[in-house]
Amino acid sequence: MCAIHQPNVFPRLSTLAKLFAADTWIVLDDVQFTRRDYQHRARLADLDAPARQRWLTIPTRLPSGRSTLIRDALIDDPALARRRTEGMLRQHYRNSPHWSALAQALAPVLDAFATERTAAVAETSTRLLLDLLGWPGQILASSDLPARPGRSQRLADLAAATGARTYLCGTGGMTYLDPAPFKAQDVAVLPFRPPATGIWSTGRRVSALWALAALGPQAVAARCRAPAPPEAMLEA
């Protein structure tokens, strides 16, 4: 199974769970950067009051304007952005019983600010969360794989390039996806629908950091697996 998704800064629990259910995550890094998406920001929930939320945003400039690709977006003042990111994460989650493990794992994310590229920080943050959950999959970049133009055709080509037989698609993607290119390459399309209760009730809005800080990586990994991976969250 493969999932294709843009690099997100400390992704939402629903996004993280989709990647966790896949064997391969294809980082969609060569499409247009979108400021209204999660490519440079994450919604942090307060540890003890998750309804209280605040945006963590990495100030980003686009060298080519609106046509700038995700991989080419640059951090505006990386040193300052790093300090603010570290400060906000500490402020929100330092009282977690799991903070020591989270803080240690955050080091590569903070180091990624030195690349001056927003996508590097976002991808590294997602790798971090997947590593904390014990995900054994592989990560590839769409810019390194052959694919034809056309939204659905391109996704089908990317999935086929990895040898995947199944493409996990989020609910948003299902609204526009054309199944024909996938069928032509013998790649099944399965919608990914996580539960809507418990820690999942805010899973489409809040960064997965809250669940990891509140419950710990092992507990979150267990919820991503339960009751049976990955069919429990999929509907044909």
Side-chain angles (χ1 to χ4, degrees):
M1 290 189 178
C2 83
I4 303 173
H5 206 279
Q6 303 97 328
N8 284 183
V9 174
F10 297 112
R12 296 162 292 163
L13 184 59
S14 59
T15 299
L16 188 68
K18 182 180 73 170
L19 302 182
F20 185 83
D23 301 299
T24 300
W25 170 32
I26 300 176
V27 182
L28 197 61
D29 65 347
D30 54 355
V31 296
Q32 185 175 316
F33 183 92
T34 305
R35 288 196 180 276
R36 293 184 178 180
D37 211 331
Y38 293 86
Q39 296 150 21
H40 70 310
R41 60 182 186 166
R43 190 182 275 112
L44 302 182
D46 187 273
L47 182 63
D48 298 319
R52 188 164 60 232
Q53 301 165 11
R54 182 181 176 189
W55 282 108
L56 163 65
T57 302
I58 298 176
T60 298
R61 55 188 174 88
L62 308 180
S64 301
R66 286 188 174 184
S67 62
T68 300
L69 301 181
I70 290 175
R71 65 186 180 192
D72 297 326
L74 299 177
I75 302 172
D76 191 11
D77 197 340
L80 178 59
R82 172 183 171 142
R83 289 197 300 271
R84 287 179 173 173
T85 297
E86 184 176 17
M88 285 189 65
L89 295 176
R90 181 176 296 276
Q91 177 186 356
H92 276 74
Y93 303 120
R94 65 186 172 187
N95 292 328
S96 163
H98 310 285
W99 172 246
S100 59
L102 289 175
Q104 183 177 4
L106 285 170
V109 182
L110 298 175
D111 290 343
F113 279 87
T115 67
E116 302 185 2
R117 296 190 177 273
T118 303
V121 175
E123 181 180 338
T124 304
S125 74
T126 304
R127 287 175 180 265
L128 153 72
L129 300 189
L130 289 170
D131 287 345
L132 285 172
L133 297 184
W135 182 65
Q138 66 171 339
I139 299 176
L140 303 172
S142 61
S143 54
D144 293 331
L145 299 172
R148 288 168 285 182
R151 181 179 285 183
S152 295
Q153 182 66 64
R154 187 160 186 267
L155 294 176
D157 286 349
L158 290 172
T162 71
R165 300 270 49 92
T166 302
Y167 168 60
L168 300 184
C169 185
T171 54
M174 290 302 298
T175 62
Y176 66 77
L177 197 73
D178 178 3
F182 292 88
K183 185 175 181 180
Q185 302 204 61
D186 195 26
V187 176
V189 176
L190 289 180
F192 183 82
R193 297 187 176 97
T197 59
I199 64 170
W200 303 100
S201 61
T202 59
R204 296 187 187 280
R205 301 188 305 277
V206 171
S207 168
L209 276 172
W210 175 81
L212 287 162
L215 303 176
Q218 291 185 351
V220 175
R223 282 165 171 77
C224 287
R225 295 188 189 101
E231 290 80 1
M233 294 186 181
L234 303 175
E235 294 180 12

